Amino acid sequence: MKVTYIVHSCYYVELEHCGLLFDYYSGPLPETDKPLYVFASHSHDDHFSPDVFRLSQLGKEVHYLLSKDIFRSRVPEELKESVTFVAPRQFYEVGAVRAATLRSTDQGVAFLVECEGKLLYHAGDLNCWVWDGAPRFQNDQMKRAYQEELSHLAGKHIDVAFVPLDPRQEADFDLGMKYFFEIAGADHVFPMHMWGDYSVVPLFKSTPTYREYADKVMDVKGPGQVFEL
């Protein structure tokens, strides 16, 4: 398996027989002759761009799994049959992919994808969005909602996960990743949604209370980085 970090929350995963593209909005589009599955967790501009539809213009086999909050009018008419619109807490089979969805704590869905014997999780904007200065009841409610969604992952052997590590949350930047490891975990975890501030990766890994997770967190340092797993 080869994982390429494109930018922000966008990763491209190349398996033996197909490719998986998550939350593309900017940067180079993957070049492959393999069947391609394009996932968009929600409509925010930093998670979806209609540029993904250019992939189908190259004569490739492309399947789109898009959150239902993305307007259907954004899909070219000739590609509508290639698109599956997904809702939270549902299950879908598209080609070689089996995908379950979780409900985001912001907008749209998170994806749990099974393909070629591998299980991958992409959080989208499902995160523990706790903010300094927000009312305590609001932050407590957020923690409960996030942990409840992650409970759907408990007990599953996830090979690769993509999880937010957002520096804008300041002292609480680590909560989403912390609860993910405590409730679910994965063999390899790729931080995302870092807004170009990659210092949060070594900061999380060097925190003494997270020592047991450090080896599983990948050292993402910038766009274009490739990981062979």
Side-chain angles (χ1 to χ4, degrees):
M1 181 191 307
K2 183 165 72 173
V3 178
T4 301
Y5 174 55
I6 295 181
V7 70
H8 196 52
S9 296
C10 179
Y11 281 89
Y12 174 61
V13 179
E14 185 175 356
L15 300 172
E16 184 176 358
H17 301 294
C18 66
L20 313 173
L21 178 65
F22 293 95
D23 279 13
Y24 176 89
Y25 84 100
S26 181
L29 288 163
E31 296 182 6
T32 179
D33 293 326
K34 299 176 182 179
L36 182 62
Y37 295 82
V38 178
F39 300 83
S41 64
H42 60 293
S43 62
H44 288 170
D45 288 343
D46 61 323
H47 290 263
F48 170 74
S49 167
D51 284 349
V52 293
F53 299 124
R54 288 195 284 118
L55 290 163
S56 294
Q57 297 173 359
L58 303 176
K60 300 176 181 178
E61 179 185 344
V62 184
H63 306 270
Y64 299 91
L65 291 89
L66 311 181
S67 176
K68 68 175 186 178
D69 64 291
I70 296 171
F71 291 141
R72 293 173 183 266
S73 60
R74 305 189 78 177
V75 181
E77 189 63 36
E78 67 274 14
L79 296 181
K80 290 191 186 298
E81 291 186 0
S82 301
V83 175
T84 301
F85 286 97
V86 303
R89 297 186 183 172
Q90 300 294 323
F91 178 80
Y92 303 88
E93 289 193 51
V94 179
V97 159
R98 296 157 56 92
T101 55
L102 280 67
R103 187 182 306 279
S104 176
T105 45
D106 185 2
Q107 187 168 322
V109 302
F111 289 102
L112 184 65
V113 178
E114 183 181 353
C115 186
E116 296 187 24
K118 302 295 184 182
L119 191 62
L120 303 95
Y121 168 71
H122 189 283
D125 267 357
L126 173 54
N127 188 32
C128 191
W129 297 115
V130 167
W131 302 99
D132 185 31
R136 180 173 178 178
F137 80 88
Q138 180 177 310
N139 283 338
D140 288 346
Q141 185 180 47
M142 171 58 66
K143 290 178 185 178
R144 288 193 298 270
Y146 182 61
Q147 291 170 326
E148 179 183 352
E149 284 305 306
L150 290 186
S151 70
H152 296 284
L153 303 177
K156 299 183 184 300
H157 181 187
I158 300 174
D159 296 285
V160 174
F162 306 97
V163 180
L165 202 59
D166 195 320
R168 301 174 304 165
Q169 292 183 267
E170 299 179 324
D172 296 312
F173 82 99
D174 58 335
L175 287 185
M177 187 74 77
K178 162 186 159 68
Y179 292 138
F180 174 78
F181 272 112
E182 289 179 353
I183 296 171
D187 292 343
H188 305 278
V189 179
F190 290 84
M192 65 179 194
H193 217 270
M194 294 174 285
W195 299 101
D197 182 359
Y198 303 102
S199 66
V200 290
V201 179
L203 180 58
F204 181 90
K205 295 181 66 165
S206 64
T207 301
T209 51
Y210 301 145
R211 186 176 295 113
E212 63 182 298
Y213 310 138
D215 289 345
K216 297 179 184 255
V217 177
M218 307 306 289
D219 291 313
V220 178
K221 299 176 181 178
Q225 199 171 356
V226 178
F227 301 83
E228 296 275 0
L229 304 182

